[in-house]
Amino acid sequence: MAFEHEIEMDLSKQIPGLCDFGVECFLSGEEMEIGEASYAENGINVILSDKISYNRSPPYVQHELCKNVHYDILSLPTASVIITFYEEPYSVLLRTVHSVLNTAPSAILKEIILVDDFSSRRDLKGKLGYYVKTRLSSKVKLFRMRRQSGLVRARLAGAQRATGSVLVFLDAHCECTSGWLQPLLSRIHQSRSSVVVPLIDVINQKTFEYESDGYGFDIGGFTLDGHFDWHDVPERERERQRRECKDEIEICPTYSPTMAGGLFAISRDYFWEIGSYDEQMDGWGGENLEMSFRIWMCGGTLETIPCSRIGHIFREFHPYSFPNDKDTHGINTVRMAKVWMDDYQELLYMNRPDLRNHPDVGDVTHRKVLRDKLKCKSFEWYMQNIYPEKFIPTRNVQNYGRISAIEDDRFCFDDLQQNIDEPYNLGVYSCYKHDIAPSQLFSYTYNKVLRTERSCATIDDRRSTKYIVMIPCNSDDEVTDTWVHTSFNQFKHEQTGLCIDRKNLDKNLLHAAVCDSLSKTQKWEFQKTKKQSI
Ligand code: UDP
Ligand code: MN
């Protein structure tokens, strides 16, 4: 058999013990070069992956306290693990499947459902089918979509075939560590409306190192341009955990406002009850925030379970595309926002003007009907109760919008399209006349903080030119830098007494100078626009 021969060839490439326990490893010489080329193409070093055993030993990453928890396996619900894949490197996918088989106790692993979202890679066709049939437990089932359907519909197809009591969704480039499944199932067994997420570690896409620094972890949030992001566990949640788990808060289920979406477990009945997924979401993206908001607003909880740890390869880019090159993330995000975000939708459009009146969004009536049927709470309730730390540029502020030089439209505060996840210099640019451009949206809070959604203004006083720098705001909203908007329209920094000035602009960057009430270059005002009434 041709496949038999190919599979033997694959196995003979593997070096026993390589990268065991998640240590990093490297290729050398010519292999290093083709490894790098495969990385450029796939976002993963496939040549290295091919040399690592499908069964490499997982690292020891569990918290000490987890080892003392006893699970009565026979009383736990069973799990169907659903893995959808599209153009996934063959050895990466198989390592994912093997790692589930190696770590999940067979009494609770009902099945693994692989859903091929109509990949074109040759080895994902006959060879994969043959491998599953001849080398893997009969618990592993492989289905193929008849056309590329996107993550959501591929997962729904998997869920429809699942027979276990709990659905566990995994991406196709994961490695599970010992004991990951029991705590997820146990929590759902205790509380059926808990949707649970493992602690997601990083597997390095170039070295396959299982990177786990300690036991700390982040929870999920979102940005107003519609993306998922990570945050520290807030003090508010730590207090809840102290009440709930006493002195074991490090391993306590941790409420998370959103989830990344790739890896989670949910009771199968509850999944269907609460509206599964929006099946009209195409391609990739947006479905994770949709599900997160829906779960919280419709009576469930979303929790990170620290005793369950799974590694995931985070790629820097997606090695695949979608039919007609559509921005499926953006379109799906609008579908989500129309159903779940109420008035807050406007903030999404303010940050993503291209998504306002997007022609490809389609109809969301049936999802609104679902929201009514489930009697879900409002987005305002979600923000107040589940994610009160989130700064909303239009709430609790003295003013927001464009900040322009007094009566001079050539100068508005602007991020100058710098990377806003890192500290960046505040600049000026011609004021955009109509909509508020996202790069020019600023807020001035009641606590006298001058900020954007994520960054707060401070002064870099290390150099002779004291640039105004926007730095990530403290998550606990601890106020460090405060600004007075003076009767002369200056922004005066209370800690240094300096004022924001646009004199002698260098590369359009603002700096702080000694306050001078007569200086024309220190006068700033919030410009009012029609669209500002949210
Ligand atoms: N996927 C899919 N169909 C698609 C796109 C992606 O089934 O059209 C799969 C993909 O193979 C992966 C999962 O969906 O297993 C999530 O995608 P990815 O890992 O690329 O997303 P990320 O982890 O980068 O958010
Ligand atoms: Mn992924």
Side-chain angles (χ1 to χ4, degrees):
M1 271 296 286
F3 293 135
E4 190 63 41
H5 178 68
E6 282 182 47
I7 285 169
E8 287 305 323
M9 292 281 287
D10 291 341
L11 294 174
S12 70
K13 274 193 230 162
Q14 297 183 353
I15 302 172
L18 185 70
C19 309
D20 261 5
F21 307 108
V23 300
E24 62 182 344
C25 36
F26 300 94
L27 299 169
S28 58
E30 196 188 331
E31 271 186 343
M32 186 174 80
E33 276 166 38
I34 47 173
E36 277 164 14
S38 79
Y39 171 77
E41 190 183 329
N42 300 284
I44 294 180
N45 187 336
V46 178
I47 305 300
L48 178 58
S49 173
D50 289 349
K51 294 177 83 93
I52 303 170
S53 166
Y54 300 144
N55 294 305
R56 79 155 159 169
S57 310
Y60 299 110
V61 286
Q62 257 197 352
H63 195 284
E64 276 303 313
L65 290 173
C66 301
K67 294 175 189 154
N68 304 331
V69 186
H70 174 75
Y71 300 99
D72 180 9
I73 292 281
L74 295 178
S75 75
L76 291 179
T78 60
S80 293
V81 175
I82 299 169
I83 300 172
T84 71
F85 61 92
Y86 180 62
E87 309 295 30
E88 201 69 37
Y90 174 87
S91 60
V92 173
L93 170 65
L94 281 186
R95 190 168 302 103
T96 307
V97 178
H98 277 267
S99 97
V100 174
L101 291 168
N102 292 342
T103 53
S106 83
I108 48 176
L109 179 67
K110 185 80 189 273
E111 63 203 347
I112 300 179
I113 298 177
L114 301 176
V115 184
D116 172 14
D117 194 11
F118 202 62
S119 305
S120 62
R121 281 178 183 245
R122 207 183 62 86
D123 51 9
L124 294 176
K125 295 185 176 171
K127 185 168 80 171
L128 179 68
Y130 184 82
Y131 187 92
V132 169
K133 223 169 21 199
T134 60
R135 300 296 205 280
L136 294 178
S137 147
S138 58
K139 286 185 179 180
V140 183
K141 295 157 192 163
L142 173 61
F143 297 102
R144 315 249 189 209
M145 300 304 283
R146 275 195 298 240
R147 62 185 73 85
Q148 188 188 356
S149 307
L151 167 67
V152 161
R153 286 189 291 263
R155 282 188 166 182
L156 281 169
Q160 270 147 8
R161 289 170 170 91
T163 58
S165 314
V166 169
L167 307 177
V168 180
F169 292 98
L170 297 183
D171 275 5
H173 32 257
C174 290
E175 288 178 60
C176 302
T177 65
S178 340
W180 68 279
L181 183 56
Q182 296 88 320
L184 298 179
L185 299 182
S186 165
R187 180 64 186 145
I188 291 172
H189 190 50
Q190 262 172 15
S191 150
R192 73 183 288 271
S193 61
S194 291
V195 178
V196 294
V197 181
L199 204 159
I200 305 170
D201 290 309
V202 174
I203 297 175
N204 188 291
Q205 67 277 34
K206 292 179 180 166
T207 66
F208 279 76
E209 180 182 9
Y210 191 105
E211 298 171 0
S212 71
D213 35 28
Y215 303 111
F217 59 92
D218 286 347
I219 55 169
F222 69 92
T223 59
L224 293 168
D225 60 3
H227 287 272
F228 169 87
D229 64 359
W230 298 101
H231 293 274
D232 294 342
V233 180
E235 192 44 41
R236 169 186 59 85
E237 172 58 9
R238 287 295 182 212
E239 272 162 32
R240 190 197 65 82
Q241 292 181 309
R242 264 178 226 116
R243 290 194 298 273
E244 198 75 25
C245 300
K246 308 287 181 286
D247 46 359
E248 300 207 329
I249 62 166
E250 295 102 316
I251 63 163
C252 192
T254 307
Y255 284 180
S256 183
T258 70
M259 65 169 156
L263 292 62
F264 69 95
I266 182 169
S267 142
R268 176 163 57 101
D269 291 341
Y270 190 61
F271 175 75
W272 295 114
E273 226 171 274
I274 195 135
S276 61
Y277 274 120
D278 172 359
E279 78 295 337
Q280 286 178 44
M281 286 191 174
D282 260 329
W284 172 94
E287 85 295 338
N288 58 328
L289 294 187
E290 193 272 345
M291 188 175 254
S292 305
F293 297 156
R294 177 157 46 87
I295 287 164
W296 281 116
M297 289 165 64
C298 309
T301 57
L302 190 53
E303 310 173 13
T304 301
I305 306 296
C307 286
S308 176
R309 292 183 79 145
I310 300 180
H312 169 265
I313 303 181
F314 289 85
R315 293 181 285 219
E316 278 162 355
F317 58 92
H318 284 146
Y320 48 76
S321 61
F322 302 111
N324 311 323
D325 264 347
K326 283 197 177 147
D327 170 16
T328 62
H329 181 281
I331 297 166
N332 294 346
T333 300
V334 178
R335 291 187 64 82
M336 173 280 285
K338 284 184 163 226
V339 180
W340 300 102
M341 285 182 76
D342 303 333
D343 294 350
Y344 285 76
Q345 241 184 104
E346 189 56 37
L347 291 160
L348 171 70
Y349 302 134
M350 216 147 102
N351 285 284
R352 287 289 307 273
D354 58 309
L355 293 180
R356 199 188 283 279
N357 307 319
H358 197 292
D360 295 329
V361 169
D363 185 61
V364 294
T365 311
H366 73 301
R367 300 300 287 179
K368 288 188 172 163
V369 169
L370 171 80
R371 179 171 166 178
D372 283 349
K373 195 187 88 190
L374 295 173
K375 300 195 169 54
C376 308
K377 298 194 178 77
S378 67
F379 199 75
E380 182 66 26
W381 173 88
Y382 168 87
M383 293 303 294
Q384 300 283 341
N385 293 279
I386 308 305
Y387 200 6
E389 296 76 29
K390 176 71 188 157
F391 177 71
I392 298 299
T394 56
R395 303 283 153 107
N396 301 321
V397 296
Q398 302 188 41
N399 221 329
Y400 73 92
R402 277 194 291 262
I403 300 177
S404 93
I406 293 260
E407 289 165 15
D408 192 339
D409 266 355
R410 287 171 307 161
F411 304 104
C412 262
F413 283 14
D414 197 298
D415 68 21
L416 303 175
Q417 317 284 332
Q418 296 163 93
N419 176 6
I420 58 172
D421 294 324
E422 303 282 333
Y424 62 91
N425 289 312
L426 181 62
V428 281
Y429 198 76
S430 299
C431 302
Y432 289 96
K433 291 280 157 42
H434 302 291
D435 275 333
I436 303 174
S439 65
Q440 295 188 348
L441 176 56
F442 289 84
S443 304
Y444 181 51
T445 73
Y446 286 124
N447 304 339
K448 296 184 282 186
V449 177
L450 184 59
R451 62 176 293 171
T452 63
E453 181 189 353
R454 282 173 272 177
S455 307
C456 287
T458 181
I459 296 177
D460 180 1
D461 55 9
R462 290 167 308 178
R463 273 174 275 268
S464 56
T465 308
K466 297 184 171 18
Y467 288 110
I468 310 296
V469 183
M470 302 298 295
I471 56 170
C473 301
N474 283 323
S475 53
D476 49 10
D477 214 29
E478 181 190 310
V479 178
T480 44
D481 291 82
T482 51
W483 303 82
V484 182
H485 200 201
T486 70
S487 50
F488 302 106
N489 288 306
Q490 296 146 308
F491 277 111
K492 180 174 180 181
H493 187 236
E494 286 198 301
Q495 287 68 33
T496 59
L498 298 174
C499 283
I500 299 183
D501 202 319
R502 62 179 171 85
K503 207 166 37 203
N504 308 327
L505 283 178
D506 174 27
K507 297 199 179 97
N508 277 9
L509 300 182
L510 291 166
H511 62 276
V514 175
C515 296
D516 170 3
S517 56
L518 297 175
S519 163
K520 283 205 165 120
T521 53
Q522 292 186 357
K523 294 187 190 303
W524 304 98
E525 65 183 345
F526 274 91
Q527 274 190 348
K528 294 290 173 208
T529 66
K530 262 203 326 226
K531 285 249 165 66
Q532 234 162 282
S533 52
I534 298 166

